[in-house]
């Protein structure tokens, strides 16, 4: 499913980079046919929840979240891109893959990977506790409420103006997947009494980490297509 999603990101990017005509584009034997769309069609405008936006901005600017984000970015950089999507479904599967494929990662040994992973989880729990109001509010917000906030705060490239629209569309799809996953996880977390339950806090951190990793990989794919678009321009 994740591979299909990344493939569709590429299709959306190529579609957006094409001419503004209404000609269909067919991709080999995939039977996928798509038409050129405007940015507004790909990214419907949504009303931003000002309370959720304020809570989100406060969270990502908090020291607890910055420490957490730096930790997971460093972990995923060492993890690398060789791990199959199927091995990211659970904590145990990911760590088992690392143990069996340590030379394909940036970790010196398996124990370092375990220690760094535990650091990410601990910092994630601390960030949740420090920004609990955001997570509780997100759980009760309108479906998809986080997505337009992610889109609005997404940095926009300042070069290759002819490729920026396609890049924004591509990233918006990644944001949509991430925002939806985050909201679903927050709902499960709050329903499970996550405020006082360490097990729920850990599970919530792992769920949001997985969604974050998917988003990072998707945005990286958008960047690859963006660079290709720039070179072809």
């Amino acid at each position: 499913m994740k591979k299909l999603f990344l493939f569709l990101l590429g299709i959306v990017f190529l579609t957006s980079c094409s001419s503004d005509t209404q000609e269909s584009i067919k991709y080999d034997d995939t039977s996928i046919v798509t038409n050129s769309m405007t940015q507004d069609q790909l990214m419907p405008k949504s009303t931003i929840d000002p309370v959720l936006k304020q809570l989100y901005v406060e969270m990502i600017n908090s020291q607890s979240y910055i420490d957490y984000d730096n930790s997971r970015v460093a972990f995923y950089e060492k993890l690398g891109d060789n791990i199959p999507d199927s091995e990211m479904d659970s904590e145990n599967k990911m760590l088992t893959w690392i143990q069996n494929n340590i030379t394909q990662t940036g970790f010196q040994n398996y124990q370092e990977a375990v220690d760094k992973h535990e650091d990410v989880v601990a910092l994630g729990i601390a960030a949740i506790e420090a920004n609990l109001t955001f997570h509780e509010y997100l759980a009760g917000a309108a479906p998809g409420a986080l997505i337009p906030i992610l889109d609005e705060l997404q940095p926009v490239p300042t070069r290759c103006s002819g490729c920026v629209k396609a890049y924004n569309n591509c990233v918006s799809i990644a944001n949509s997947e991430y925002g939806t996953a985050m909201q679903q996880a927050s709902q499960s977390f709050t329903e499970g009494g996550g405020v006082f339950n360490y097990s729920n806090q850990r599970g919530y951190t792992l769920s949001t980490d997985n969604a974050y990793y998917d988003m990072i990989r998707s945005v990286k794919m958008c960047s690859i297509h963006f660079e290709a678009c720039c070179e072809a321009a």
Side-chain angles (χ1 to χ4, degrees):
M1 181 62 70
K2 294 178 185 176
K3 289 182 179 179
L4 175 60
F5 174 62
L6 292 175
F7 176 68
L8 292 176
L9 282 180
I11 290 179
V12 169
F13 204 106
L14 290 171
T15 301
S16 300
C17 279
S18 66
S19 66
D20 292 330
T21 65
Q22 294 300 311
E23 295 179 357
S24 297
I25 303 173
K26 184 174 290 186
Y27 291 84
D28 301 323
D29 297 327
T30 60
S31 299
I32 296 177
V33 179
T34 181
N35 292 319
S36 297
M37 298 180 183
T38 65
Q39 185 174 11
D40 289 340
Q41 287 174 313
L42 284 171
M43 295 190 299
K45 295 183 182 299
S46 301
T47 302
I48 288 181
D49 184 328
V51 176
L52 182 62
K53 179 180 177 180
Q54 179 180 351
L55 291 172
Y56 178 73
V57 171
E58 289 176 353
M59 179 187 71
I60 63 176
N61 288 326
S62 67
Q63 191 58 52
S64 61
Y65 184 87
I66 291 172
D67 292 341
Y68 167 48
D69 197 44
N70 287 339
S71 177
R72 64 181 176 180
V73 167
F75 178 83
Y76 287 130
E77 284 181 351
K78 283 184 175 291
L79 177 60
D81 297 325
N82 291 324
I83 183 170
D85 291 335
S86 59
E87 302 307 306
M88 291 297 296
D89 292 342
S90 71
E91 178 183 22
N92 289 336
K93 290 174 68 175
M94 178 188 69
L95 291 175
T96 298
W97 184 89
I98 293 174
Q99 185 175 31
N100 295 331
N101 301 274
I102 194 69
T103 58
Q104 296 189 47
T105 73
F107 298 111
Q108 294 183 1
N109 51 59
Y110 175 65
Q111 190 57 50
E112 181 194 11
V114 172
D115 292 342
K116 294 296 183 183
H117 176 63
E118 285 303 315
D119 288 344
V120 171
V121 173
L123 290 170
I125 291 174
I128 290 170
E129 292 178 340
N131 300 278
L132 190 58
T133 303
F134 163 77
H135 301 282
E136 292 177 331
Y137 189 91
L138 176 62
L146 185 58
I147 298 169
I149 297 172
L150 296 173
D151 284 341
E152 183 179 80
L153 298 178
Q154 178 68 36
V156 178
T158 57
R159 61 190 181 89
C160 300
S161 58
C163 303
V164 170
K165 172 183 172 181
Y167 176 80
N168 288 342
N169 288 340
C170 186
V171 171
S172 183
I173 294 174
N175 285 340
S176 178
E177 290 289 313
Y178 177 64
T180 299
M182 280 288 295
Q183 188 164 27
Q184 291 174 345
S186 69
Q187 291 167 347
S188 297
F189 171 63
T190 54
E191 290 172 0
V195 178
F196 307 107
N197 190 313
Y198 172 81
S199 177
N200 283 344
Q201 288 175 325
R202 184 182 181 90
Y204 182 42
T205 300
L206 294 173
S207 295
T208 55
D209 278 347
N210 198 16
Y212 175 85
Y213 180 71
D214 289 345
M215 185 265 292
I216 290 297
R217 294 187 75 175
S218 297
V219 171
K220 185 179 294 186
M221 183 64 67
C222 295
S223 297
I224 291 173
H225 286 299
F226 177 73
E227 293 301 330
C229 180
C230 287
E231 290 178 4

